[in-house]
């Protein structure tokens, strides 16, 4: 069973508040855990950036379902492939809140001053995700 990682970005179609993010995270954590899928979600009020990792079948089926979700549109794959290990093995869906620390981290990997995942290279996105993984591990109690 190939361990596969999908990374995509998308745009919110309307204002998404913290309640809606909580709803998305709740359903994601329940569904992903059932399929041994892990990952991370970042949302900055305009753009989503999400990483899903697990079996090829599971991440593809979840990704297809996510693409049909009318809360966002214009999903664009930033990276897809087999990987030797997970970046977010401890999280069925970690969430990176949009804070000053997040902006600072993103600024190391993005070319512009504003966060726009559509303009990031696959390599930069993976390096950013690796940085998120390290920071999540550090913040573990
Ligand atoms: P149901 O809950 O039966 O809903 C039917 C349809 O309505 C689906 O197409 C669903 O996408 C859509 N829908 C559900 N709630 C709303 C709403 N409030 N407004 C508009 N449309 C709605 N799910 C996961 O399992 N794993 C993930 O990692 C994951 N990540 C997500 C990331 C983002 C950015 C978004 C927007 C959604 C994500 N979801 C994720 C949710 C996913 O899109 C589905 O809503 C969820 O998996 C339930 O699927 P379902 O077929 O049971 O749909």
């Amino acid at each position: 069973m190939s361990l596969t990682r999908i990374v995509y970005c998308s745009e919110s179609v309307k204002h998404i508040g913290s309640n809606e993010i909580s709803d998305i995270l709740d359903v994601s954590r329940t569904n992903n855990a059932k399929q041994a899928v892990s990952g991370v979600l970042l949302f900055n009020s305009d753009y989503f950036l999400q990483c899903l990792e697990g079996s090829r079948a599971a991440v593809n089926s979840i990704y297809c379902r996510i693409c049909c979700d009318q809360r966002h549109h214009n999903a664009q794959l930033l990276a897809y492939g087999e990987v030797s290990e997970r970046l977010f093995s401890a999280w069925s869906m970690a969430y990176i809140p949009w804070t000053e620390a997040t902006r600072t981290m993103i600024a190391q990997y993005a070319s512009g001053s504003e966060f726009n995942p559509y303009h990031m290279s696959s390599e930069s996105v993976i390096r950013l995700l690796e940085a998120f993984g390290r920071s999540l591990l550090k913040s573990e109690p």
Side-chain angles (χ1 to χ4, degrees):
M1 199 163 51
S2 301
L3 180 60
T4 300
R5 180 183 298 141
I6 284 180
V7 184
Y8 77 89
C9 62
S10 62
E11 291 176 80
S12 59
V13 293
K14 59 181 179 80
H15 172 75
I16 301 242
S18 53
N19 288 347
E20 220 152 347
I21 291 292
S22 292
D23 290 346
I24 290 171
L25 290 173
D26 285 349
V27 76
S28 301
R29 286 169 180 157
T30 305
N31 291 343
N32 297 356
K34 282 185 200 153
Q35 292 187 271
V37 165
S38 50
V40 70
L41 178 70
L42 167 73
F43 178 59
N44 81 332
S45 82
D46 292 315
Y47 301 118
F48 290 102
L49 174 67
Q50 188 174 28
C51 165
L52 297 162
E53 45 193 23
S55 75
R56 186 193 299 146
V59 294
N60 272 283
S61 111
I62 292 171
Y63 178 63
C64 288
R65 202 165 66 229
I66 292 171
C67 285
C68 295
D69 195 309
Q70 294 184 355
R71 287 170 282 195
H72 66 160
H73 68 162
N74 201 17
Q76 198 170 100
L77 274 180
L78 301 176
Y80 175 87
E82 292 178 11
V83 291
S84 53
E85 60 183 339
R86 295 172 191 250
L87 290 174
F88 302 98
S89 53
W91 297 273
S92 52
M93 189 46 58
Y95 182 63
I96 305 288
W98 190 246
T99 63
E100 202 47 50
T102 305
R103 285 168 198 256
T104 305
M105 212 181 293
I106 287 171
Q108 289 177 48
Y109 302 99
S111 51
S113 54
E114 294 298 317
F115 173 57
N116 185 335
Y118 291 93
H119 294 166
M120 290 179 77
S121 68
S122 309
E123 191 193 336
S124 302
V125 166
I126 297 299
R127 291 181 64 197
L128 174 62
L129 291 171
E130 287 168 351
F132 285 156
R134 286 193 297 273
S135 98
L136 285 165
L137 279 174
K138 263 197 240 159
S139 61
E140 282 283 276

